[in-house]
C-alpha cells in the first residue's frame, strides 16, 4: 500500500490540527507538514515534496491560489487540493487555472476529503459539492494533468 | 335774268310778236292814207313792244327781288360772319352772323372801330394783319381773340376798289366742340388725378398710421385690404372712363360725330366723377373705420402701458428687494444694462460703474479665454434658456460658485432685445453638498469596511470554527459510535448537517456582505460570482460579458458599481418580470468603463424616469452611488421595452 504524503497549508492552526487528525484516521495518509500561509507552503512543499497539498485559499500574505500557481510551476508532480469556504465558479476557475487538481468546500471536508485526495492522486480533477455546478460546466470530464492548458478564457463564461 | 333779256335784244322777234298781237285788232283800225296808215301801224307795234317790254321788266324786277332776298338771307345767315372794314378798321357792313359772332347788334357795330372788339393784347397783331391785307398781300387766315367772341378764325380779302377789305369770321363750332371736349378731357384727367391722389394719400396715411406698428389688429388689416381693393377698382373705372373719353376725342371728325363724342365724353366725365366720388367715399369710410379702430387701439395701448408701468414699478421694487440673487439685464452684446441690489452685494460692483460693461467681467480668465460667456448667450438665444453652475469672479477678484440662469428677452415681434441673468451664490450650498458627498462616501466606505470586516470574521472565525466543528463531529461519529449507542446517532447526524447548513448560511452571508472576489479579483469576477448565485436563486438567465483585460479600478468605484449591479438585479427580480438579463462591462483606452444592465422585462413608466426619490426602485440610490464615484448614470426604459441602466465612469483613481 502506497502511503500518500500530505502537506496542510491553512492559516488556522485549529483547522490544520483537526484536518491532520481527520486525515490520519486513514492508514495510507500521512501529514508530513503544515504551513500557515502561501509563502510558507511553497517552502514546505519544496522541502518536503509531499504527494498532495491541501491548500486553503484565503490566507494572509500570499493566498492559496498564488501559492498553488508557483508550486505547480516549480513542482508539477505535487497535486494541490484547494480547501475553501468560497463556493463560486470564479474561485474554482482561478484555482484550476493556477494548477490545482481539485476544489473542496470546507463544510464538506469531513465527508469528501479522503475521496478527493484519492481521486487527484489517480490523476483526476475533483470538484466537491457546491463547486461542481460551476466547475463541472467548465470541465465536464476529468482529464489528465495538467489542467491549465486548454482552459477556456474565464471572460467568456 | 339772261333769258328774260333775250326778247329785248332780239328786236325782230319782239316786232314779230307785236305785229301778231296788232293783227288781232286790225278790223278796228281806221281807214287812213297809206303813209298815215303805215305810221299808225308802226306806232301801234311800238306801243305793243313797249308794253311787252314793260311787263318783262316788272317780271324781271320781281325775279330780281326774289333772288336778292335769297342772297340777302344767304349773306345775313351764312355760317360765316362777314364784315367790311376800311383802312382805318371802321366797320362798313356786317352780316347778322358776324354781329352774332361779335356779340353785338349790327346797328351799333356799323361805323364803329372793329379794333374795339379785339382784346387789347391782340390789337397790335390785328393792326399789322390789316395793314398786310391792304398792302394786297393776299388772303390769309388769322386767329384773332375777341373780347366777347373768344378766339375766331378770320380771313380777309381786299375788295376790287382796294378801299375796303372783307373779312370772313369763322365761327368754328368744331373748334368750340373741340374746346368743350378738351375741357371734358381735362376734367376727366383732373378727376382721375384727384381720385388717384386722394386714394394714394389715404392709403399712405393709413399705411403710415396703421401699418407701421406690427400689432395692427386683423380687422384693420382687413379694412385696409378692402380699401385698397376699392381704390384699385375706382382707379380702374376711372381709367376706363378716361380711355373712353380719349377714344371719343381721337375720333373727333364730323360735327355729328363730335356731338356724339361730346355726349360720350360728358357721360364719361359724369361716370368718372361718380366713380371718383364713390371711391373717395369708400376711402373715407374705410379710413374712418380704421381711424376709429386705431383710436380704440391706442386707448387700449395707453391702458396696457399704464398697467405695464405699474407692473414694472412693482417688478422693479421686487427685483431691488431681492438681496440673495444678482438679477440684472444684458443687451444683445452682453453689456450690463440693469443692476439690482443683490447683484451689487454678490459681485461687489456699484450700478454706476458696471452699467455698460461686458458681463464677461464676472467670469474666470479661463472661461473668458474659452469664449464661454458668448457661448452662454448663444445657447440661451437659441434654446430659450441656459442654466449652469460654475465659478464666477467678484470685483475684488474673489471667486464664488454660482448657479446661473440666462434667459433671452424678446420683443413682441420676437426680436432679441437682450438677456436677463439671475446669479446665486451657491458656494456654501456647494460646499455643503461636497461635504455631504464626502460624508456619504465615507459612510459607504465605512459600511463597506464593516461588511468586509464582518465577512472576514465570518470567514476567519465562524467559517473555520464551523469547519472545525464539522471535523469534530465527524471524528465523534467515527469513534464514539459504538459506545454512544443507537440513541445518539440521529442527533449526531443532525448536528453534522446543522453544521453544514450553518456553514452554507455563513458563506452566503459572507458573499452578501462583501464578495471576496471583489477585493481579490476585481469587479468582473465579483459580478460573475454574484450573478451565478443570483441565477440559481431566481431562475433568470443572466449573461455577463466582460473583456479578459477589464481593468481594475479603485475599491470605491468597484464596490459602487458592484452595488449598483446588485441593486439593478434586485429590481429585475422584484419589478421587471424579465426572463433574461445582460450585464456588459466594457472599457476603452481613455481609460473609461461602461457598465450596462439590461433586462427584457416590462420596463418602467415614464414618471419613474428620471428616478424620483423614493420611487421604490432604488434608482436614486443607484444614481447617487454612481455619481459619488464620478460616474454618469443613465436610465433607458419604457413600458414594455425593458430597462437598461448604463453607467459611464473613468477607470482612473
Amino acid at each position: 500500500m502506497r502511503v500518500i504524503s500530505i502537506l496542510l497549508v491553512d492559516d488556522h492552526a485549529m483547522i490544520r490540527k483537526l484536518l491532520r487528525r481527520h486525515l490520519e484516521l486513514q492508514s495510507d495518509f500521512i501529514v508530513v507538514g503544515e504551513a500557515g500561509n502561501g509563502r510558507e507552503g511553497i517552502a514546505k512543499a519544496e522541502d518536503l515534496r509531499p504527494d498532495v497539498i491541501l491548500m486553503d485559499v484565503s490566507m494572509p500574505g500570499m493566498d492559496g491560489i498564488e501559492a498553488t500557481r508557483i508550486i505547480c510551476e516549480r513542482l508539477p508532480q505535487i497535486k494541490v487540493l484547494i480547501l475553501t469556504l468560497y463556493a463560486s465558479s470564479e474561485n474554482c476557475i482561478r484555482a484550476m487555472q493556477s494548477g490545482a487538481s481539485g476544489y473542496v468546500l470546507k463544510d464538506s471536508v469531513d465527508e469528501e476529503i479522503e475521496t478527493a485526495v484519492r481521486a487527484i492522486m489517480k490523476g483526476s480533477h475533483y470538484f466537491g459539492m457546491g463547486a461542481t455546478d460551476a466547475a463541472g460546466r467548465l470541465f465536464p470530464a476529468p482529464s489528465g494533468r495538467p489542467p491549465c492548458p486548454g482552459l477556456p478564457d474565464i471572460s467568456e463564461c | 335774268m339772261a333769258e328774260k333779256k333775250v326778247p329785248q335784244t332780239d328786236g325782230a322777234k319782239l316786232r314779230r310778236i307785236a305785229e301778231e298781237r296788232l293783227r288781232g285788232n286790225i278790223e278796228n283800225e281806221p281807214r287812213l292814207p297809206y303813209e298815215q296808215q303805215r305810221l299808225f301801224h308802226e306806232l301801234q307795234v311800238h306801243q305793243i313792244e313797249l308794253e311787252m317790254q314793260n311787263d318783262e321788266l316788272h317780271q324781271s324786277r320781281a325775279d330780281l327781288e326774289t333772288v336778292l332776298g335769297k342772297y340777302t338771307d344767304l349773306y345775313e345767315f351764312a355760317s360765316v360772319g362777314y364784315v367790311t372794314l376800311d383802312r382805318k378798321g371802321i366797320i362798313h357792313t356786317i352780316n347778322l352772323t358776324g354781329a352774332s359772332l361779335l356779340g353785338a347788334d349790327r346797328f351799333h357795330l356799323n361805323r364803329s372801330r372793329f379794333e374795339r372788339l379785339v382784346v387789347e393784347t391782340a390789337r397790335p397783331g390785328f393792326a399789322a394783319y390789316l395793314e398786310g391785307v391792304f398792302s394786297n398781300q393776299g388772303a390769309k387766315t388769322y386767329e384773332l381773340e375777341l373780347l366777347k367772341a373768344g378766339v375766331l378764325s378770320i380771313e380777309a380779302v381786299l375788295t376790287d376798289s382796294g378801299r375796303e377789305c372783307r373779312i370772313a369770321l369763322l365761327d368754328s363750332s368744331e373748334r368750340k366742340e373741340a374746346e368743350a371736349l378738351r375741357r371734358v378731357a381735362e376734367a376727366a384727367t383732373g378727376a382721375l388725378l384727384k381720385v388717384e391722389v386722394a386714394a394714394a394719400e389715404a392709403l399712405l396715411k393709413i399705411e403710415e398710421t396703421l401699418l407701421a406698428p406690427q400689432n395692427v389688429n386683423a380687422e384693420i388689416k382687413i379694412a385696409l385690404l378692402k380699401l385698397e381693393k376699392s381704390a384699385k377698382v375706382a382707379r380702374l373705372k376711372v381709367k376706363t372712363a378716361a380711355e373712353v373719353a380719349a377714344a371719343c376725342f381721337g375720333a373727333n371728325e364730323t360735327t355729328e360725330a363730335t356731338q356724339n363724342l361730346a355726349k360720350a365724353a360728358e357721360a364719361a366725365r359724369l361716370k368718372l366723377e361718380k366713380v371718383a366720388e364713390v371711391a373717395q367715399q369708400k376711402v373715407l369710410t374705410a379710413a374712418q373705420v380704421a381711424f376709429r379702430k386705431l383710436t380704440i387701439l391706442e386707448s387700449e395701448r395707453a391702458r396696457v402701458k399704464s398697467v405695464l408701468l405699474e407692473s414694472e414699478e412693482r417688478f422693479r421694487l421686487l427685483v431691488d428687494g431681492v438681496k440673495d440673487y444678482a438679477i440684472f439685464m444684458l443687451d444683445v452684446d452682453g453689456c450690463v444694462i440693469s443692476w439690482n441690489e443683490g447683484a451689487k452685494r454678490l459681485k461687489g460692483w456699484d450700478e454706476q460703474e458696471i452699467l455698460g460693461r461686458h458681463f464677461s467681467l464676472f467670469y474666470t480668465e479661463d472661461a473668458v479665454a474659452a469664449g464661454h460667456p458668448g457661448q452662454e448667450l448663444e445657447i440661451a438665444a437659441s434654446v430659450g434658456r441656459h442654466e449652469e453652475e460654475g465659478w464666477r469672479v467678484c470685483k475684488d477678484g474673489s471667486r464664488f460658485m454660482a448657479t446661473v440662469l440666462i434667459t433671452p428677452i424678446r420683443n413682441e415681434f420676437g426680436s432679441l432685445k437682450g438677456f436677463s441673468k439671475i446669479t446665486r451664490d451657491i458656494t456654501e450650498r456647494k460646499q455643503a453638498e461636497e461635504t455631504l458627498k464626502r460624508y456619504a462616501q465615507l459612510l459607504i466606505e465605512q459600511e463597506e469596511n464593516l461588511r468586509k470586516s464582518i465577512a472576514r470574521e465570518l470567514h476567519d472565525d465562524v467559517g473555520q470554527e464551523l469547519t472545525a466543528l464539522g471535523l469534530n463531529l465527524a471524528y465523534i461519529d467515527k469513534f464514539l459510535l459504538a459506545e454512544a449507542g443507537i440513541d445518539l446517532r440521529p442527533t449526531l447526524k443532525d448536528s453534522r448537517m446543522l453544521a453544514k447548513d450553518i456553514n452554507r448560511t455563513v458563506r452566503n452571508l459572507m458573499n452578501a456582505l462583501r464578495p471576496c472576489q471583489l477585493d481579490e479579483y476585481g469587479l468582473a469576477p465579483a459580478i460573475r460570482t454574484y450573478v451565478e448565485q443570483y441565477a440559481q436563486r431566481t431562475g433568470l438567465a443572466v449573461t455577463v460579458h466582460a473583456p479578459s483585460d477589464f481593468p481594475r479600478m479603485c475599491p470605491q468605484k468597484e464596490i459602487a458599481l458592484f452595488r449598483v449591479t446588485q441593486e439593478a438585479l434586485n429590481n429585475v427580480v422584484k419589478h421587471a418580470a424579465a426572463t433574461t438579463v445582460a450585464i456588459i462591462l466594457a472599457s476603452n483606452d481613455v481609460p473609461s468603463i461602461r457598465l450596462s444592465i439590461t433586462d427584457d422585462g416590462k420596463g418602467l413608466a415614464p414618471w419613474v424616469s428620471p428616478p424620483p426619490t423614493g420611487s421604490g426602485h432604488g434608482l436614486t440610490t443607484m444614481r447617487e452611488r454612481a455619481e459619488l464615484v464620478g460616474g454618469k448614470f443613465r436610465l433607458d426604459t419604457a413600458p414594455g421595452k425593458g430597462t437598461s441602466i448604463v453607467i459611464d465612469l473613468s477607470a482612473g483613481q
Side-chain angles (χ1 to χ4, degrees):
Chain A
M1 181 179 66
R2 184 178 185 276
V3 175
I4 300 171
S5 59
I6 300 170
L7 172 65
L8 302 178
V9 185
D10 195 308
D11 58 329
H12 292 89
M14 183 181 66
I15 296 295
R16 295 199 300 270
K17 177 185 163 190
L18 293 176
L19 270 177
R20 175 187 285 269
R21 189 184 70 185
H22 185 81
L23 290 166
E24 288 184 342
L25 289 174
Q26 305 297 319
S27 57
D28 56 341
F29 285 6
I30 180 167
V31 176
V32 293
E34 297 179 17
N37 58 53
R39 203 171 306 280
E40 191 182 351
I42 294 167
K44 288 279 177 74
E46 288 179 333
D47 186 30
L48 300 172
R49 304 294 173 105
D51 295 317
V52 174
I53 297 174
L54 302 187
M55 181 76 79
D56 188 17
V57 172
S58 181
M59 290 181 291
M62 183 182 289
D63 70 15
I65 302 295
E66 179 63 11
T68 300
R69 188 184 63 76
I70 293 169
I71 290 169
C72 288
E73 278 180 5
R74 294 181 187 174
L75 306 163
Q77 74 280 10
I78 298 176
K79 294 177 170 51
V80 179
L81 181 66
I82 299 292
L83 297 181
T84 181
L85 284 173
Y86 300 119
S88 76
S89 299
E90 190 68 29
N91 287 57
C92 180
I93 291 162
R94 286 182 182 270
M96 303 309 282
Q97 283 180 325
S98 68
S101 298
Y103 191 92
V104 174
L105 296 180
K106 281 188 174 177
D107 58 357
S108 304
V109 72
D110 59 329
E111 292 180 350
E112 295 187 78
I113 193 72
E114 302 95 338
T115 311
V117 169
R118 294 186 198 286
I120 62 172
M121 277 304 292
K122 288 179 182 174
S124 300
H125 287 122
Y126 184 90
F127 300 104
M129 288 183 292
T132 51
D133 289 345
R137 290 200 299 272
L138 296 173
F139 311 107
S143 59
R145 288 191 72 185
C148 300
L151 283 180
D153 187 338
I154 60 165
S155 65
E156 299 304 322
C157 67
Chain B
M1 184 181 282
E3 288 182 2
K4 296 291 179 184
K5 286 180 179 177
V6 174
Q8 289 176 310
T9 55
D10 193 355
K13 190 179 179 182
L14 184 64
R15 182 171 183 93
R16 182 175 49 82
I17 294 169
E19 284 189 354
E20 280 175 3
R21 286 184 182 177
L22 184 61
R23 202 174 290 126
N25 298 329
I26 200 151
E27 292 168 359
N28 302 321
E29 288 179 0
R31 296 284 180 177
L32 294 173
Y34 175 73
E35 256 330 295
Q36 288 177 341
Q37 186 72 31
R38 196 188 56 85
L39 192 58
F40 181 69
H41 176 75
E42 283 296 325
L43 284 173
Q44 283 182 313
V45 169
H46 281 296
Q47 184 182 359
I48 289 168
E49 280 181 355
L50 285 171
E51 284 173 355
M52 283 174 64
Q53 283 179 339
N54 191 36
D55 287 344
E56 268 192 34
L57 279 173
H58 277 291
Q59 184 60 42
S60 293
R61 177 174 180 161
D63 289 344
L64 195 60
E65 280 179 354
T66 302
V67 170
L68 182 61
K70 286 180 181 177
Y71 274 93
T72 301
D73 287 345
L74 191 62
Y75 169 73
E76 294 292 0
F77 302 106
S79 60
V80 179
Y82 291 105
V83 59
T84 309
L85 305 181
D86 61 15
R87 282 180 180 275
K88 293 178 181 174
I90 304 297
I91 298 171
H92 286 254
T93 60
I94 185 166
N95 68 350
L96 285 173
T97 304
S100 171
L101 279 173
L102 296 173
D105 62 71
R106 189 155 45 176
F107 179 75
H108 289 101
L109 287 172
N110 278 329
R111 310 306 300 172
S112 66
R113 293 180 70 84
F114 187 84
E115 191 184 53
R116 289 191 303 175
L117 302 170
V118 178
V119 295
E120 196 168 344
T121 53
R123 285 175 188 171
F126 176 67
Y129 172 75
L130 208 57
E131 191 180 335
V133 172
F134 279 104
S135 303
N136 202 16
Q137 290 177 355
K140 59 181 178 181
T141 303
Y142 182 73
E143 297 288 326
L144 182 63
E145 189 173 2
L146 300 170
L147 287 170
K148 293 185 179 177
V151 177
L152 291 181
S153 182
I154 64 173
E155 193 174 323
V157 289
L158 202 60
T159 58
D160 294 340
S161 65
R163 290 192 299 270
E164 293 175 340
C165 73
R166 184 174 294 119
I167 296 175
L169 303 171
L170 298 175
D171 177 19
S172 173
S173 55
E174 287 181 6
R175 177 181 297 278
K176 281 190 174 180
E177 284 164 0
E179 185 66 24
L181 288 176
R182 188 179 61 77
R183 284 198 293 274
V184 169
E186 282 177 359
T189 308
L192 172 64
L193 194 63
K194 197 174 173 185
V195 170
E196 288 190 338
V197 168
E201 282 179 352
L203 284 175
L204 190 64
K205 191 167 184 181
I206 291 162
E207 280 173 5
E208 281 176 355
T209 314
L210 299 179
L211 278 187
Q214 296 292 312
N215 60 343
V216 172
N217 66 36
E219 284 184 59
I220 292 180
K221 281 183 178 173
I222 290 166
L224 195 66
L225 287 173
K226 284 181 179 175
L227 178 69
E228 280 180 326
K229 195 175 173 185
S230 299
K232 277 181 186 171
V233 170
R235 278 201 290 266
L236 196 63
K237 286 181 176 179
V238 167
K239 192 180 172 190
T240 306
E243 283 171 357
V244 168
C248 290
F249 307 148
N252 180 21
E253 291 176 355
T254 66
T255 303
E256 187 180 0
T258 303
Q259 287 171 354
N260 291 336
L261 291 175
K263 286 177 186 173
E266 180 62 13
R269 189 181 64 78
L270 290 172
K271 188 176 177 183
L272 181 134
E273 282 180 357
K274 191 174 175 184
V275 167
E277 191 181 342
V278 169
Q280 276 179 319
Q281 192 58 44
K282 281 183 179 175
V283 168
L284 190 63
T285 306
Q288 283 171 347
V289 169
F291 281 124
R292 269 203 303 279
K293 291 185 183 251
L294 181 65
T295 306
I296 293 167
L297 195 64
E298 282 179 350
S299 165
E300 182 61 18
R301 272 186 190 157
R303 192 185 68 76
V304 169
K305 192 177 176 184
S306 166
V307 171
L308 276 176
L309 284 173
E310 280 180 33
S311 173
E312 241 173 54
E313 179 61 14
R314 283 200 297 272
F315 181 71
R316 191 186 63 75
L317 291 171
L318 177 70
V319 168
D320 282 348
V322 173
K323 302 287 188 291
D324 295 332
Y325 290 83
I327 302 173
F328 54 99
M329 285 180 63
L330 308 172
D331 64 16
V332 289
D333 298 321
C335 293
V336 178
I337 55 174
S338 80
W339 197 246
N340 81 329
E341 186 61 29
K344 179 183 173 182
R345 192 169 147 182
L346 190 58
K347 296 176 188 279
W349 297 88
D350 284 329
E351 183 177 9
Q352 292 310 314
E353 58 187 351
I354 198 64
L355 287 182
R357 301 188 71 175
H358 198 265
F359 83 120
S360 56
L361 276 174
F362 312 139
Y363 289 75
T364 62
E365 287 181 5
D366 291 343
V368 174
H372 189 61
Q375 289 165 0
E376 283 191 325
L377 296 188
E378 284 175 16
I379 294 168
S382 62
V383 303
R385 61 182 274 131
H386 175 64
E387 193 169 3
E388 69 162 23
E389 288 181 2
W391 289 105
R392 294 294 182 272
V393 181
C394 297
K395 182 184 175 185
D396 61 5
S398 61
R399 295 183 175 194
F400 64 95
M401 177 57 72
T403 176
V404 176
L405 173 64
I406 301 176
T407 310
I409 297 168
R410 298 181 184 279
N411 66 9
E412 54 196 334
F413 308 117
S415 300
L416 184 66
K417 304 303 286 182
F419 300 89
S420 70
K421 190 173 181 198
I422 302 174
T423 305
R424 188 183 184 193
D425 182 357
I426 58 163
T427 307
E428 287 183 9
R429 194 189 86 191
K430 208 70 185 171
Q431 286 170 345
E433 281 178 3
E434 289 299 323
T435 304
L436 197 63
K437 204 171 167 181
R438 278 203 305 279
Y439 279 130
Q441 185 60 37
L442 198 61
L443 199 63
I444 287 168
E445 285 174 15
Q446 285 180 344
E447 181 193 333
E448 289 298 334
N449 287 338
L450 187 61
R451 284 168 171 267
K452 200 170 170 180
S453 170
I454 294 171
R456 172 65 60 185
E457 284 191 21
L458 286 173
H459 176 271
D460 290 349
D461 297 336
V462 181
Q464 307 303 334
E465 286 161 3
L466 284 168
T467 302
L469 178 63
L471 287 167
N472 275 339
L473 289 173
Y475 191 78
I476 292 168
D477 193 21
K478 187 172 181 67
F479 290 100
L480 299 183
L481 190 59
E483 294 99 36
I486 197 162
D487 294 343
L488 289 177
R489 285 183 64 193
T491 306
L492 190 57
K493 192 177 179 183
D494 281 350
S495 297
R496 291 185 71 185
M497 288 302 295
L498 194 58
K500 285 183 192 302
D501 289 344
I502 293 170
N503 215 335
R504 197 172 297 116
T505 302
V506 167
R507 193 167 59 234
N508 292 338
L509 197 56
M510 278 161 47
N511 272 325
L513 282 167
R514 176 84 176 192
C516 70
Q517 293 83 7
L518 192 62
D519 298 312
E520 299 288 337
Y521 310 126
L523 181 62
I527 288 177
R528 280 197 198 95
T529 300
Y530 181 79
V531 161
E532 191 176 298
Q533 294 159 358
Y534 173 86
Q536 284 177 354
R537 192 172 71 244
T538 63
L540 288 169
V542 186
T543 56
V544 179
H545 300 274
S548 57
D549 59 347
F550 188 77
R552 291 297 305 263
M553 294 176 282
C554 69
Q556 290 86 352
K557 289 181 178 177
E558 288 186 332
I559 191 64
L561 295 181
F562 180 79
R563 295 298 180 207
V564 168
T565 306
Q566 272 187 313
E567 188 67 40
L569 289 173
N570 286 340
N571 279 345
V572 171
V573 75
K574 283 181 190 170
H575 309 292
T579 55
T580 62
V581 184
I583 299 172
I584 299 172
L585 278 165
S587 64
N588 61 20
D589 295 336
V590 174
S592 67
I593 67 106
R594 169 172 286 184
L595 164 66
S596 69
I597 305 124
T598 306
D599 69 62
D600 64 350
K602 60 187 180 185
L604 295 174
W607 54 86
V608 184
S609 175
T613 304
S615 64
H617 292 74
L619 294 171
T620 304
T621 305
M622 282 190 273
R623 178 186 290 274
E624 286 175 354
R625 204 74 195 251
E627 289 177 351
L628 273 174
V629 291
K632 288 182 180 175
F633 178 93
R634 196 174 82 231
L635 174 69
D636 294 329
T637 184
K641 303 286 184 185
T643 300
S644 180
I645 288 168
V646 181
I647 293 169
D648 288 306
L649 180 68
S650 162
Q653 297 298 309

